[in-house]
Amino acid sequence: DLPMCVYTFLESYDWTGKTIVPFCTSAGNAMTGKETLIPQFAKGSSVLATGLGIQGARCQGDQASVRNDVKSWLSQIGFVAK
């Protein structure tokens, strides 16, 4: 599940017309699927379906490959030129 502080943050702002791009680090390396609940708490928002989850230990131990994964993901979702 998402941390309660994230739900509180989402409920505290006007998200009308905003797109939320979920990403996280965690003990695992995948999104939980709970990011689909974000629009219920961030009223008026849309959520980009393709989030990114990366294992926290990998972020600390292999920054170069994580950097490449993030660049690739940002390119796939249209935030940076290919």
Side-chain angles (χ1 to χ4, degrees):
D1 204 354
L2 300 174
M4 289 306 298
C5 62
V6 172
Y7 289 120
T8 300
F9 172 76
L10 294 173
E11 291 174 328
S12 298
Y13 294 93
D14 178 9
W15 297 94
T16 304
K18 305 289 188 227
T19 300
I20 296 174
V21 182
F23 65 95
C24 70
T25 62
S26 66
N29 63 349
M31 300 297 285
T32 64
K34 296 292 184 176
E35 61 277 6
T36 60
L37 299 176
I38 291 173
Q40 294 176 24
F41 298 90
K43 302 292 184 194
S45 72
S46 61
V47 176
L48 188 68
T50 308
L52 177 67
I54 299 177
Q55 188 177 34
R58 187 170 154 239
C59 291
Q60 294 173 353
D62 191 5
Q63 295 172 3
S65 75
V66 170
R67 187 176 298 112
N68 288 335
D69 288 354
V70 171
K71 285 181 181 179
S72 176
W73 172 66
L74 290 172
S75 178
Q76 289 172 15
I77 64 174
F79 277 79
V80 294
K82 292 184 179 185

